[in-house]
Amino acid sequence: MDLLTGLRDALGASQVLTGADAQPYLTDWRGRYTGAAQAVVRPGSTAQVAQVVHLCRRHGASIVPQGGNTGLAGGATPDVDGRAVVVSTRRLDRLRAVDAGNDTITVEAGCTLQAVQQWARDAGRLYPLSLASEGSCTVGGNLATNAGGTQVLRYGNARELALGLEVVTAEGDIWHGLRGLRKDNTGYDLRDLYIGSEGTLGIITAATLRLYPLPVAQRTALVSLSTLAAAVALLPRARAGFGAALTGFEVMSHASLEVVVRAFPQQTLPLGPAPWYALLELSDSESDAHAQARFEAVLEAALNEGLLLDAAVAGSLAQSQALWQLRESISSAQSWEGKNIKHDISVPASRIPDFVAATDALLQQAIPGVRHIIFGHLGDGNLHYNVSRPPEVPEADFLARQDEVYLLVHDSVHAHGGSISAEHGIGQLKRDELLRYKDGVELGLMHRIKQALDPLGLMNPGKVLAPR
């Protein structure tokens, strides 16, 4: 029996896509990578995922797991040789259980992040992972890339929000690890091996996730600042004043919000022009009055110290959503403007001003007139340091220098003690760069884990680790 016949028998012919039907799954969200595949399969259960893996192993076909296909590093796109089978998890979209007494929710990997957030709210709880793509990204993809988002400084990355996993291994076995335990010291933590592995070790099919109490009150403010150093100085003051209630601290350059206003004229900036802006959110567990008093005290002290130029405090839920929309629209606005060179990096928060100043200067020397679109999660040191072309430079000419820009920026990140990937993963975009920035012992250990868990090398080949 050939592979396609076996897949159709296992899943039903309608869930095995080829030709034009498969095309939407073969290009990444940014349009940077397009691959080829024998088929795209859409299993509807964990058992069917295991059947697919067994069939692919038997026929020597590589396997590319794919969730919502919203990744930014090409991690869910097959290569061009056409041997791969793309395994879409979108039909694994069931809510399995909510345990309000244990503050956990168990969901399948194809559930969208937005659906999980809503199920948690329906149970009077909060699932705090929050991303701009939450309407289309999936839990499996969030865990496979260890996604971050806007509330990492309070709740942690996707890894910290997962207590247990169900995984189909590279050999087609099913690991039943859906435990809702905060403490389980019974050997190696397999969960943490699969989270962040980008489908190179196995396929996550379900997860048990942490839930939290819903906040009683929230306050949001957009503040303007004269320097990035002022934003960094504001962060510890906000932490001291808000404690664990500080759930958002985003930083945005003037250039990044200027792009948003041009792309979406219906969105308005409630403050006058300034070099930098920060978006702060407090989620209070006591009362509306308590939240208001804490918020006013911190902002007033910062204004008196001269850290802030101005502040706009949301007076309603609609105003708060409008402030967050400014932040979340930056990526879409950049896409509207044209292609740019993106960097998802992290640097110790204390060194961010020095990193930005040094890297901006190096880029201006290399490509005079280049525009720096800088925004991100200052609370956890994660910047989206994006580079847009000078207006007079053709897009194709600018993109031809992408490798040069990557090298310059990532060398600067490394020099400032940072990481070249904070929350988007490695995929195929940054795979070869690991050789430059990872210690040889660390890379060797990663290869040994890959060999142990995927000895045939069929799981998402060409992602994360370059072939030896």
Side-chain angles (χ1 to χ4, degrees):
M1 183 185 297
D2 63 51
L3 176 57
L4 290 183
T5 300
L7 292 170
R8 289 177 180 126
D9 285 349
L11 307 183
S14 64
Q15 303 305 334
V16 179
L17 310 180
T18 58
D21 293 336
Q23 288 305 308
Y25 299 82
L26 304 182
T27 299
D28 74 308
W29 181 80
R30 292 174 64 195
R32 292 292 181 92
Y33 299 101
T34 297
Q38 296 187 59
V40 174
V41 299
R42 293 164 42 90
S45 68
T46 300
Q48 287 190 343
V49 174
Q51 284 181 285
V52 169
V53 173
H54 279 297
L55 285 164
C56 289
R57 281 174 57 84
R58 188 180 307 157
H59 292 274
S62 56
I63 301 164
V64 179
Q66 187 180 102
N69 199 21
T70 59
L72 299 175
T77 306
D79 59 25
V80 297
D81 71 9
R83 293 180 56 251
V85 171
V86 175
V87 180
S88 171
T89 61
R90 293 183 196 177
R91 291 180 63 227
L92 303 177
D93 59 359
R94 286 172 286 274
L95 167 64
R96 293 195 184 175
V98 176
D99 186 345
N102 194 43
D103 278 330
T104 58
I105 185 171
T106 300
V107 299
E108 294 183 341
C111 296
T112 65
L113 174 55
Q114 192 172 71
V116 178
Q117 292 168 341
Q118 186 59 54
W119 288 329
R121 281 194 294 270
D122 292 344
R125 298 292 189 271
L126 171 72
Y127 181 61
L129 188 65
S130 181
L131 309 173
S133 60
E134 58 197 28
S136 50
C137 68
T138 63
V139 167
N142 296 158
L143 293 169
T145 58
N146 189 27
T150 58
Q151 301 197 66
V152 169
L153 80 165
R154 167 64 180 89
Y155 299 105
N157 284 32
R159 183 187 304 279
E160 284 72 43
L161 296 172
L163 294 175
L165 298 180
E166 178 185 84
V167 176
V168 174
T169 72
E171 295 179 332
D173 297 324
I174 301 172
W175 172 46
H176 299 282
L178 292 174
R179 306 181 186 99
L181 301 175
R182 271 75 176 174
K183 290 185 175 180
D184 182 11
N185 286 321
T186 52
Y188 303 128
D189 197 336
L190 301 178
R191 175 199 60 185
D192 278 354
L193 276 178
Y194 288 107
I195 295 175
S197 66
E198 301 186 46
T200 62
L201 303 178
I203 303 175
I204 296 171
T205 53
T208 297
L209 308 170
R210 294 175 185 261
L211 299 181
Y212 291 83
L214 282 167
V216 175
Q218 288 186 307
R219 288 293 182 274
T220 309
L222 183 72
V223 302
S224 55
L225 310 110
S226 57
T227 65
L228 185 53
V232 172
L234 177 62
L235 176 59
R237 287 161 175 77
R239 280 184 166 141
F242 298 157
L246 180 64
T247 51
F249 198 112
E250 302 289 300
V251 69
M252 298 156 283
S253 66
H254 175 73
S256 63
L257 290 185
E258 188 179 45
V259 174
V260 171
V261 173
R262 283 204 311 270
F264 308 112
Q266 71 276 17
Q267 296 191 48
T268 58
L269 189 60
L271 298 174
W276 292 93
Y277 301 88
L279 184 63
L280 284 71
E281 183 172 85
L282 174 148
S283 299
D284 196 90
S285 60
E286 294 191 26
S287 68
D288 211 57
H290 186 256
Q292 185 70 19
R294 294 174 80 184
F295 213 56
E296 289 177 354
V298 169
L299 293 182
E300 183 177 353
L303 281 165
N304 289 338
E305 287 183 51
L307 287 178
L308 309 184
L309 298 176
D310 202 356
V313 179
S316 66
L317 177 61
Q319 289 180 1
S320 175
Q321 290 172 338
L323 293 180
W324 274 107
Q325 190 176 18
L326 284 168
R327 159 65 181 87
E328 291 168 353
S329 296
I330 297 173
S331 292
S332 298
Q334 286 189 279
S335 297
W336 167 83
E337 189 179 55
K339 291 183 177 179
N340 52 87
I341 301 175
K342 297 180 183 292
H343 305 87
D344 163 50
I345 58 95
S346 63
V347 175
S350 59
R351 303 188 70 178
I352 282 178
D354 290 343
F355 161 76
V356 169
T359 313
D360 283 1
L362 290 169
L363 280 169
Q364 289 298 334
Q365 291 174 12
I367 311 175
V370 75
R371 292 173 295 148
H372 313 281
I373 309 297
I374 305 169
F375 62 100
H377 320 301
L378 185 67
D380 53 61
N382 174 196
L383 288 184
H384 301 300
Y385 185 94
N386 297 344
V387 183
S388 292
R389 64 182 178 86
E392 68 277 5
V393 175
E395 184 177 90
D397 293 350
F398 176 65
L399 294 177
R401 303 185 68 176
Q402 177 173 272
D403 290 345
E404 176 188 351
V405 172
Y406 281 157
L407 180 64
L408 186 154
V409 173
H410 290 156
D411 275 357
S412 184
V413 168
H414 191 65
H416 286 85
S419 167
I420 66 170
S421 180
E423 62 180 2
H424 293 168
I426 297 298
Q428 53 189 303
L429 178 68
K430 300 179 182 178
R431 181 196 67 185
D432 295 336
E433 294 191 59
L434 285 189
L435 301 173
R436 183 175 178 87
Y437 303 109
K438 280 281 189 185
D439 175 81
V441 172
E442 192 171 8
L443 279 172
L445 290 169
M446 290 171 67
H447 276 286
R448 287 159 68 183
I449 291 170
K450 171 72 170 173
Q451 176 63 30
L453 296 185
D454 180 24
L456 299 183
L458 298 181
M459 295 302 305
N460 215 7
K463 315 299 172 22
V464 183
L465 290 174
R468 280 181 158 175

